[in-house]
Amino acid sequence: MEDEIKAEFNNSGFIFDKEKEILQKCSTFCINFKLTPTDLVSSWEIYYLNRQINGTVVEDAEMDGFLGYLQSQQKVAIDEKELDLHIYSSRDVDMILNDEDEDIREDVLGTPPPFKSQNHYSEPSDSTPQTIGNISSGKPSKLATPFGRRTDKLVVKFSINNKPNTENREKEDDNENHEDDDVIRKVKPGKRCSLIVHGSGPEIGCRFMYDRIEDRFNALENRISKYATALVSSGQYEEPLDPTVSSQKIIFTVGMIYCDGEGHLNEKSTLLQSSAEHSGGQRVRIELQNLSQFSIFPGQLVGIEGINPSGHCFIASKLVDSIPLPIADDANLPPAKKQALDQEILSVGVSGTQPELSVIIASGPFTTTDNLLFEPLRELLAYASKTLPQLLILLGPFIDSEHPEIKKGTVDRSFDEIFRSEILRRLQDHVEYMGSHARIVLVPSIRDANHDFVFPQPAFDIHPANLRHQITSLTNPGIFEGNQVKIGCCSVDILKHLSGEEISRNPKDGKLSDRMSRLANHIISQRSFYPLYPPAEGIPLDFSLAPEALNISLIPDILILPSDMKHFVKVLPLGERGEEKEQVKCICVNPGRLAKGEGGGTFVELNYYGNPDTCNASIIGI
């Protein structure tokens, strides 16, 4: 074979620099890739032209690159062979559901058998069987994608079990009797959850990119003033004074942390800007040497005790980075800031009863980077149809502007068409199958190609027919209640942004603090979903657009902060409240991303029973 390979190269006008080594490698290529010497040389000519190699010498140094080229060509050939899809329209689906063409049903990928009503359904056949315990989400399909060929499916990566979930066990036992997806079955009705949206975010269709310097100044000034007022109102601190005035007396002041320069914050570049009322908005350098511990970042509101002997440097002796934040009752909120989505079920939350909620939380992207088939979303909905959560919370991006096909513009549909056909239609099918008790909450992302690129962000403009009380879109960020459980969510990756800007010092004889818990605590202690200022690069922060939308008006029971950082579920201690010293806590959830590259990511299943200390939560790999 080596002689034949050499003859083919010579016939094409090529010579070798290390003949023996090259011929041995080429012989191996022919065997491994099932190529004839003629095919091998043809492939080399293409590789030679693509790499724009000068001369006619086949060099041994190029063999590794040539091997990579052969491997990529083999992968393309396999994908072309396996991606033999039937492209069908909504008319095809109607024909299938109406039993007009039995043959088509066998050919269409993942087409469910027909159902006779919204409560009769046979779940779609997904790319591969998905199992968790005894739950299976579908049959193998003809489509072989990297996501479909994965081996670890629906694996619990982390769990908190503070209370036995007998209800879910009953659901799993019931599902054991329905392993055959070809059996048309009726979903057992579940408990419908109430839903109330708090706050007033940007309106759908609002104008943005009109904020002025004055708007930014007023927004930051209001934050400092409100923070100072809250500290003084707590009765633990005196009225703040001007930190820029030299004084040998210990004073208390309130302001915002800034960085002296364009680089990252450090102990030597830390500035404090007080309010215009107290210091005319002037800044002064802060000396942190006397503090045993701290955690600060640009834009953070703090109260500081210390002295300024020279007028140029404020020497801090105590730093206060949080204030008591009482849990607000619904009755204390302005009616304009509370929207009841379904008045008929608000009486569910009877006084004295403990709020309970079962929820699945997932954050986009919802499709892998190698296609726009949205396989992870299909798998998630199949899992939800088995476990029957009261609420499904989905945070963007849904149509990810960072997806390779979206960035290149190779799709043949508009972004809005993709969103409505691949996302909304699947969700509508899901709630129609599940029945009237199913509820879905959508939160957009600034990475959504089909939505406004601004933060804070208005809700999606969706009006699903007859499903208005089942599929709800919130602003980003947003706060709402499900069965009296207060939930706050923000799809901007504030944890990652804070992680890159925060500096901290731990006490020398104390144990190290959990960094993720510390970063999440900043969100609540600052009363803001995005306390960082200036914002991270690429964040279209608009201060003229609903300036109150970023404020956290009450402590959420569950705080959802999707991030590219490692997934987690943590119970955050937030301090004591009231004369009885009641411990206030919050569950912080980073569900991770449902799709990561060409593979699956993670989502969170959570069951809440009365308070954060009695809940079950699992992080599950899709």
Side-chain angles (χ1 to χ4, degrees), residues 519-531:
L519 294 177
N521 256 309
H522 283 314
I523 307 300
I524 296 178
S525 65
Q526 292 292 297
R527 298 189 177 186
S528 173
F529 281 106
Y530 200 88

Side-chain angles (χ1 to χ4, degrees), residues 46 53 79 133 156 185 208 315 330 400 431 511 556 577 604:
I46 297 173
I53 300 174
D79 290 344
V156 177
R185 63 185 179 87
F208 52 93
I315 303 174
D330 292 344
D400 188 7
V431 296
K511 64 178 183 178
R577 178 174 65 90
V604 168

Side-chain angles (χ1 to χ4, degrees), residues 185-243:
R185 63 185 179 87
K186 185 175 182 178
V187 173
K188 298 173 69 174
K191 297 179 181 178
R192 178 176 172 83
C193 92
S194 63
L195 197 66
I196 302 174
V197 176
H198 292 285
S200 55
E203 297 293 333
I204 295 174
C206 63
R207 300 173 65 191
F208 52 93
M209 294 179 66
Y210 286 92
D211 64 328
R212 301 163 298 174
I213 295 179
E214 179 183 353
D215 297 322
R216 292 175 177 263
F217 173 81
N218 289 336
L220 298 176
E221 180 69 15
N222 288 338
R223 281 190 62 198
I224 297 174
S225 299
K226 289 181 179 180
Y227 194 83
T229 301
L231 285 177
V232 174
S233 300
S234 68
Q236 302 177 30
Y237 306 97
E238 59 188 21
E239 282 287 340
L241 300 176
D242 185 355

Side-chain angles (χ1 to χ4, degrees), residues 69-134:
Y69 169 77
L70 293 175
Q71 290 172 338
S72 65
Q73 290 300 108
Q74 185 185 51
K75 183 179 183 300
V76 170
I78 292 174
D79 290 344
E80 288 178 351
K81 182 178 180 181
E82 292 179 338
L83 291 174
D84 184 18
L85 299 180
H86 171 76
I87 306 302
Y88 59 98
S89 64
S90 58
R91 176 173 174 79
D92 295 323
V93 177
D94 294 336
M95 292 171 57
I96 294 167
L97 298 182
N98 294 326
D99 289 331
E100 293 181 9
D101 191 342
E102 293 293 335
D103 295 332
I104 295 179
R105 184 183 305 123
E106 299 299 326
D107 296 331
V108 176
L109 172 68
T111 301
F115 54 92
K116 302 303 180 184
S117 72
Q118 70 174 17
N119 287 331
H120 289 74
Y121 183 82
S122 180
E123 293 169 24
S125 298
D126 294 302
S127 53
T128 55
Q130 307 298 307
T131 59
I132 178 169
N134 292 318

Side-chain angles (χ1 to χ4, degrees), residues 58 125 171 174 225 237 318 360 362 384 400 441 449 456 471 474 528 544-545 568 601-602 607:
V58 180
S125 298
K171 292 176 186 176
D174 178 69
S225 299
Y237 306 97
K318 180 180 178 181
I360 287 180
D400 188 7
V441 171
I471 301 179
L474 299 184
S528 173
S544 68
L545 196 63
F568 64 80
T602 55
N607 295 283

Side-chain angles (χ1 to χ4, degrees), residues 197-483:
V197 176
H198 292 285
S200 55
E203 297 293 333
I204 295 174
C206 63
R207 300 173 65 191
F208 52 93
M209 294 179 66
Y210 286 92
D211 64 328
R212 301 163 298 174
I213 295 179
E214 179 183 353
D215 297 322
R216 292 175 177 263
F217 173 81
N218 289 336
L220 298 176
E221 180 69 15
N222 288 338
R223 281 190 62 198
I224 297 174
S225 299
K226 289 181 179 180
Y227 194 83
T229 301
L231 285 177
V232 174
S233 300
S234 68
Q236 302 177 30
Y237 306 97
E238 59 188 21
E239 282 287 340
L241 300 176
D242 185 355
T244 64
V245 176
S246 61
S247 172
Q248 299 295 329
K249 180 182 177 182
I250 295 178
I251 66 169
F252 177 74
T253 186
V254 174
M256 180 176 290
I257 297 293
Y258 278 88
C259 178
D260 183 16
E262 296 184 357
H264 288 288
L265 186 70
N266 59 61
E267 292 188 30
K268 299 299 182 182
S269 65
T270 303
L271 303 178
L272 181 75
Q273 176 177 310
S274 188
S275 66
E277 177 185 356
H278 294 111
S279 69
Q282 296 184 64
R283 299 177 183 179
V284 63
R285 193 172 75 83
I286 301 295
E287 176 58 62
L288 304 171
Q289 185 176 356
N290 295 338
L291 298 178
S292 61
Q293 66 179 40
F294 59 82
S295 172
I296 59 175
F297 57 88
Q300 182 183 20
L301 299 174
V302 294
I304 301 181
E305 282 186 359
I307 61 174
N308 186 353
S310 65
H312 302 291
C313 180
F314 191 88
I315 303 174
S317 58
K318 180 180 178 181
L319 187 143
V320 181
D321 60 0
S322 63
I323 56 175
L325 183 62
I327 300 178
D329 295 322
D330 292 344
N332 296 332
L333 293 173
K337 294 197 173 187
K338 186 170 65 173
Q339 176 188 4
L341 295 182
D342 37 13
Q343 297 289 343
E344 74 277 4
I345 61 171
L346 291 182
S347 59
V348 171
V350 181
S351 177
T353 63
Q354 285 192 331
E356 295 187 1
L357 181 68
S358 62
V359 59
I360 287 180
I361 305 166
S363 176
F366 291 92
T367 188
T368 53
T369 56
D370 57 327
N371 60 59
L372 288 172
L373 299 176
F374 291 88
E375 295 170 283
L377 177 61
R378 291 200 334 234
E379 296 286 348
L380 180 71
L381 295 179
Y383 179 80
S385 67
K386 298 283 188 179
T387 56
L388 309 180
Q390 293 175 301
L391 192 60
L392 178 61
I393 302 176
L394 304 179
L395 300 97
F398 296 92
I399 310 301
D400 188 7
S401 58
E402 297 297 318
H403 191 283
E405 294 187 29
I406 300 295
K407 289 180 72 174
K408 294 177 183 177
T410 57
V411 293
D412 57 357
R413 294 175 290 174
S414 70
F415 301 144
D416 192 61
E417 288 174 343
I418 298 175
F419 176 73
R420 295 190 178 277
S421 62
E422 300 292 348
I423 304 294
L424 274 187
R425 182 167 180 174
R426 293 179 195 273
L427 299 181
Q428 289 173 3
D429 290 344
H430 175 75
V431 296
E432 287 176 355
Y433 160 51
M434 296 297 293
S436 60
H437 69 277
R439 308 209 69 157
I440 298 177
V441 171
L442 304 180
V443 180
S445 165
I446 59 173
R447 282 170 51 182
D448 275 309
N450 63 308
H451 201 42
D452 297 335
F453 182 66
V454 65
F455 184 71
Q457 197 171 23
F460 286 122
D461 186 10
I462 55 174
H463 303 286
N466 303 321
L467 299 174
R468 183 170 60 89
H469 296 301
Q470 289 186 263
I471 301 179
T472 305
S473 179
L474 299 184
T475 59
N476 173 34
I479 300 178
F480 67 98
E481 287 187 43
N483 281 0

